[in-house]
Amino acid sequence: MLAAFAGWNDALLEMLSKVEHVFKWGIYDRDPLAHWTSGRITLLGDAAHPMMPTLAQGASITLEDAYALARNVARHADDPRRALRAYEAERIDRARRVQLQARDQFNTTKKCRLRRRSAATGSSSTTPPPSRWRSPAKRRLVPRFRSS
Ligand SMILES: Cc1cc2nc3c(=O)[nH]c(=O)nc-3n(C[C@H](O)[C@H](O)[C@H](O)COP(=O)(O)OP(=O)(O)OC[C@H]3O[C@@H](n4cnc5c(N)ncnc54)[C@H](O)[C@@H]3O)c2cc1C
């Protein structure tokens, strides 16, 4: 990992040098589900609507789900199935919208990045262009980090 970040800001490199375990994984979403609820079981958060992180909304939508779920369970305390159906009805359209917007944004960002890369290198090479953070002027913009 340190080799991948060679030339970046010293403070960042110092922070990364403290990392003991590194995992690398892909970013995936799923198509919106038609339903989240079955009888007395329902889903919320990423289990219901895993989305691309491009809009930074996954956790926010999850918290909204939790609030709506709690409110509906309290409102229909004598009928859990109704509570879960009401929760789903309240949340599913909004979550679906954000999930699909995050996917669109991810695809747009990816296309722009590839276009910029082709323009910078004059080719369709998959080698990343030099990071702007390699410039000493840019590095000064990053606040110092000291782990000790
Ligand atoms: C790179 C990245 C950046 C992101 N940035 C943002 C951001 O800026 N803003 C934002 O709002 N969201 C962001 N998100 C999304 C956000 O992290 C998720 O949407 C959110 O954490 C979903 O919460 P959750 O409770 O549904 O799932 P999780 O947070 O995944 O919680 C599920 C928990 O269940 C546990 N678990 C799994 N299986 C079992 C089992 N069998 N038994 C017991 N426990 C189990 C897991 O260990 C985990 O702790 C980002 C996500 C990624 C990947």
Side-chain angles (χ1 to χ4, degrees), residues 111-126:
K111 273 187 216 138
C112 291
R113 224 175 23 234
L114 290 174
R115 224 175 279 138
R116 270 205 308 274
R117 181 181 300 175
S118 305
T121 61
S123 75
S124 55
S125 159
T126 52

Side-chain angles (χ1 to χ4, degrees), residues 33-47:
L33 295 173
H35 294 287
W36 299 347
T37 303
S38 173
R40 293 163 65 101
I41 297 172
T42 195
L43 301 174
L44 92 171
D46 279 6

Side-chain angles (χ1 to χ4, degrees), residues 25 27 44-47 53 56-60 62:
W25 67 92
I27 298 180
L44 92 171
D46 279 6
Q57 285 299 302
S60 319
T62 298

Side-chain angles (χ1 to χ4, degrees), residues 39-128:
R40 293 163 65 101
I41 297 172
T42 195
L43 301 174
L44 92 171
D46 279 6
H49 42 68
M51 60 182 75
M52 291 306 196
T54 17
L55 293 181
Q57 285 299 302
S60 319
I61 296 291
T62 298
L63 291 171
E64 289 180 7
D65 290 348
Y67 187 88
L69 178 60
R71 194 179 48 212
N72 280 292
V73 167
R75 189 177 288 158
H76 308 292
D78 54 342
D79 188 349
R81 288 168 194 268
R82 185 171 172 206
L84 300 190
R85 281 198 309 273
Y87 150 73
E88 177 184 308
E90 185 179 328
R91 297 293 308 154
I92 198 164
D93 284 346
R94 175 169 163 77
R96 175 186 293 128
R97 240 181 7 254
V98 178
Q99 200 179 3
L100 293 177
Q101 280 172 6
R103 180 183 284 179
D104 277 355
Q105 180 68 23
F106 181 85
N107 290 335
T108 305
T109 310
K110 197 162 90 183
K111 273 187 216 138
C112 291
R113 224 175 23 234
L114 290 174
R115 224 175 279 138
R116 270 205 308 274
R117 181 181 300 175
S118 305
T121 61
S123 75
S124 55
S125 159
T126 52
T127 310

